[in-house]
């Protein structure tokens, strides 16, 4: 599932392609991907200008000139493609901007909902703080960790605890901080928590800068998207040598989530 860096990268791409453009046509090929009838969706979306694009956790919010918003969550397997023609895949939703089209693909659990601003705020009200926000400090992180129970991995991917971190980056964060994801949050030292916070603040911005891990291009000549893929140290690297100590990377499950780590240099 795309996480904070992938969605932030998409936000930047959408700012370059559709911001301040007017939606000229809508095609809904899978009605389950939207939240109202096709005709109601068209009525509220066609002829609207995309005035702003925001990322909140793993969601994108497309603000329309009417004041309504389109709330996007790609969930597992969802991605976007922009261009004169579509990709060679089944498209669930297509928004047109004159001759160019924004395609939404792989929206099985993912969705594009038309909401009022207050409905959107309500839909996202339980999300935890954004880990890269200027307002989110090390002291706040430690304070939250002191009140949290359970395993570190489970805490990092809990969207009510922190926004935007998922299965992949949580493993990378634990590896970078040299802390085992299986540890209980309440037994972590202040130094370990500081290292985890530091890893969050290093890995996520680097992943954004390099274009995240999505395999699929956003546009025909896109050479940026997916640039972080070669930089994963532990995720899906089971049996490979740990880049820090050469010990084989191990895999286990924590609350039925695949977890990858080095049992030799993570403690
Ligand atoms: Zn290691």
């Amino acid at each position: 599932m795309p996480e904070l860096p992938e969605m932030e990268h998409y936000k930047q791409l959408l700012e370059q392609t559709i911001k301040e453009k007017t939606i000229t046509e809508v095609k809904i090929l899978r009605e389950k991907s939207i939240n109202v009838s096709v005709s109601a969706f068209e009525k509220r979306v066609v002829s609207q200008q995309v005035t702003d694009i925001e990322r909140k956790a793993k969601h994108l919010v497309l603000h329309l000139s009417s004041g309504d918003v389109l709330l996007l969550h790609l969930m597992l397997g969802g991605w976007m493609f922009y261009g004169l023609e579509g990709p060679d895949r089944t498209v669930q939703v297509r928004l047109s901007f004159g001759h160019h089209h924004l395609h939404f693909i792989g929206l099985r659990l993912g969705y594009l909902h038309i909401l009022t601003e207050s409905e959107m705020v309500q839909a996202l009200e339980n999300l935890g703080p954004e880990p890269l926000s200027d307002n989110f400090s090390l002291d706040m992180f430690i304070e939250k960790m002191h009140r949290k129970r359970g395993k570190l991995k489970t805490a990092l991917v809990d969207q009510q605890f922190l926004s935007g971190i998922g299965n992949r980056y949580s493993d990378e964060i634990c590896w970078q901080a040299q802390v085992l994801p299986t540890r209980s949050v309440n037994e972590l030292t202040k130094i370990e928590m500081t290292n985890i916070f530091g890893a969050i603040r290093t890995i996520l911005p680097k992943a954004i800068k390099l274009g995240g891990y999505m395999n699929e291009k956003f546009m025909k000549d896109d050479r940026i998207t997916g640039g972080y893929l070669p930089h994963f140290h532990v995720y899906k690297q089971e049996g490979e040598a740990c880049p820090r100590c050469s010990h084989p990377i191990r895999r286990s499950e924590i609350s039925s989530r695949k977890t990858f780590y080095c049992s030799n240099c993570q403690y």
Side-chain angles (χ1 to χ4, degrees):
M1 187 189 297
E3 302 179 28
L4 187 157
E6 288 66 47
M7 297 316 289
E8 188 66 28
H9 177 61
Y10 271 135
K11 179 195 146 181
Q12 293 170 4
L13 292 166
L14 293 179
E15 281 175 343
Q16 293 160 24
T17 48
I18 66 161
K19 191 173 172 181
E20 289 170 16
K21 300 246 172 84
T22 298
I23 300 167
T24 51
E25 194 194 353
V26 167
K27 268 197 181 165
I28 307 294
L29 299 140
R30 185 177 184 275
E31 288 187 39
K32 279 185 178 172
S33 301
I34 59 173
N35 59 324
V36 294
S37 69
V38 172
S39 60
F41 190 89
E42 282 175 344
K43 207 172 168 186
R44 286 172 72 178
V45 173
V46 173
S47 301
Q48 294 299 319
Q49 190 187 40
V50 178
T51 54
D52 200 11
I53 298 146
E54 261 187 300
R55 182 194 56 75
K56 289 180 182 284
K58 300 176 191 172
H59 303 77
L60 285 187
V61 181
L62 276 60
H63 291 267
L64 304 180
S65 39
S66 61
D68 283 343
V69 299
L70 285 167
L71 179 65
L72 170 70
H73 197 318
L74 292 172
M75 302 290 280
L76 196 63
W79 54 287
M80 286 184 274
F81 186 85
Y82 180 79
L84 290 167
E85 289 170 20
D88 189 17
R89 299 290 184 85
T90 309
V91 171
Q92 282 80 49
V93 178
R94 192 182 85 167
L95 301 181
S96 299
F97 300 83
H99 295 302
H100 288 79
H101 314 285
L102 178 62
H103 307 82
F104 298 85
I105 307 116
L107 294 184
R108 289 185 293 271
L109 296 168
Y111 54 82
L112 185 69
H113 286 176
I114 181 80
L115 301 172
T116 64
E117 175 109 29
S118 62
E119 285 168 341
M120 177 271 289
V121 169
Q122 205 179 353
L124 304 181
E125 70 182 352
N126 290 326
L127 289 171
E130 287 282 341
L132 299 182
S133 159
D134 290 340
N135 302 324
F136 188 61
S137 65
L138 173 62
D139 288 345
M140 282 171 67
F141 179 65
I142 290 174
E143 169 63 26
K144 278 182 77 70
M145 291 286 269
H146 279 315
R147 283 184 274 122
K148 188 74 181 163
R149 294 289 168 267
K151 296 203 186 324
L152 173 59
K153 166 89 175 183
T154 318
L156 289 175
V157 300
D158 177 352
Q159 296 303 293
Q160 294 186 18
F161 180 69
L162 276 183
S163 274
I165 298 172
N167 224 19
R168 297 195 188 215
Y169 290 104
S170 57
D171 284 357
E172 296 300 308
I173 288 161
C174 292
W175 181 84
Q176 179 83 40
Q178 292 190 254
V179 179
L180 285 168
T182 46
R183 293 273 300 281
S184 291
V185 173
N186 61 8
E187 62 174 41
L188 297 175
T189 65
K190 195 173 174 184
I191 291 171
E192 286 170 330
M193 288 191 237
T194 306
N195 290 342
I196 294 162
F197 185 80
I200 291 171
R201 288 287 180 100
T202 315
I203 289 170
L204 299 182
K206 185 181 174 191
I208 294 167
K209 197 175 162 207
L210 294 179
Y213 70 63
M214 298 301 283
N215 270 317
E216 311 289 351
K217 289 178 174 187
F218 176 73
M219 291 186 287
K220 201 166 153 242
D221 294 319
D222 178 6
R223 288 187 182 83
I224 304 165
T225 304
Y228 194 72
L229 272 168
H231 296 270
F232 280 94
H233 293 118
V234 284
Y235 188 79
K236 283 200 174 163
Q237 304 294 315
E238 187 186 7
E240 299 292 322
C242 168
R244 190 164 44 218
C245 76
S246 301
H247 205 259
I249 299 298
R250 293 181 61 171
R251 172 191 155 161
S252 67
E253 291 210 356
I254 300 174
S255 313
S256 71
R257 285 171 180 276
K258 273 184 267 178
T259 306
F260 300 86
Y261 57 93
C262 176
S263 59
N264 190 50
C265 68
Q266 286 175 254
Y267 306 96

